[in-house]
């Protein structure tokens, strides 16, 4: 009669021990007042604690009141909903201190999930690092008054730039009025 052994044999030496650091790597770069945290690997339940720790550490390096953290997830193989929610939670905490945190992903599914999930709805999601950096610069740029060229000192057209919450000034006509016969 075969009975199960009361104790387990030690793990095989051919099976290496895994660490969250083996699955997820981070690189921090600075672009002026903005910190870019580039992430590679898989952000899942196994790496969640490391994800939170590294995002907080990168956000803590933002020193300027006009600074921000951009989390570049374009090279992630997987981003779990829990990791996305954790990033959103950290972003809300730092937003109260005046530090903006945004996510960059080239995956439209992640952007849709972020918009649909109530926990992540306030997290800005961009498709490129350049667009995230531009949004930060526009948000913190003082408003400019552009003359309409009439010499009266009247400001030119003013409108909100889509998706930025920033009012932009332009002396160019709207696209619909610039083309004769356009609807």
């Amino acid at each position: 009669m075969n009975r199960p052994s009361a104790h387990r044999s030690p793990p095989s030496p051919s099976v290496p021990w895994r660490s969250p650091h083996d699955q997820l790597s981070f690189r921090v770069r600075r672009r002026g007042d903005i910190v870019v945290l580039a992430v590679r690997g898989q952000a899942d339940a196994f790496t969640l604690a490391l994800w939170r720790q590294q995002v907080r550490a990168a956000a803590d390096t933002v020193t300027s009141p006009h600074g921000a953290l951009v989390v570049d997830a374009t090279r992630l193989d997987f981003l779990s909903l829990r990791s996305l929610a954790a990033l959103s939670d950290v972003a809300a905490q730092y937003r109260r201190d005046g530090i903006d945190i945004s996510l960059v992903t080239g995956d439209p599914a992640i952007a849709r999930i972020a918009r649909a999930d109530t926990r992540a709805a306030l997290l800005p999601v961009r498709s490129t690092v350049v667009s995230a950096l531009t949004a930060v610069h526009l948000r913190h740029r003082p408003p400019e008054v552009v003359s309409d060229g009439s010499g009266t000192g009247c400001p030119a057209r003013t409108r909100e730039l889509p998706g930025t919450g920033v009012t932009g000034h332009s002396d160019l006509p709207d696209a619909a009025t610039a083309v004769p016969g356009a609807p």
Side-chain angles (χ1 to χ4, degrees), residues 39-167:
V39 189
R40 280 186 170 197
Q42 297 182 2
D44 55 18
F46 182 64
T47 60
L48 184 59
L50 177 62
W51 170 265
R52 281 187 179 127
Q53 173 192 17
Q54 293 296 317
V55 168
R56 286 182 190 281
D60 286 340
T61 66
V62 177
T63 56
S64 168
H66 297 297
L69 171 63
V70 173
V71 178
D72 179 5
T74 56
R75 294 196 176 189
L76 274 182
D77 299 324
F78 180 77
L79 177 64
S80 73
L81 184 56
R82 286 180 66 188
S83 297
L84 181 62
L87 177 62
S88 183
D89 291 344
V90 170
Q93 292 168 355
Y94 280 86
R95 192 176 310 115
R96 288 188 287 271
D97 295 332
I99 297 172
D100 295 324
I101 297 179
S102 61
L103 173 68
V104 174
T105 178
D107 188 342
I110 292 174
R112 280 193 305 273
I113 290 169
R115 281 192 309 267
D117 185 75
T118 56
R119 297 169 293 182
L122 295 177
L123 179 69
V125 178
R126 306 283 181 212
S127 59
T128 66
V129 172
V130 171
S131 66
L133 296 173
T134 302
V136 171
H137 286 296
L138 288 175
R139 195 174 312 118
H140 296 292
R141 186 172 73 180
E144 297 175 5
V145 175
V146 180
S147 170
D148 65 358
S150 67
T152 63
C154 295
R157 279 189 182 213
T158 302
R159 64 178 171 225
E160 185 172 309
L161 299 174
T164 64
V166 174
T167 301

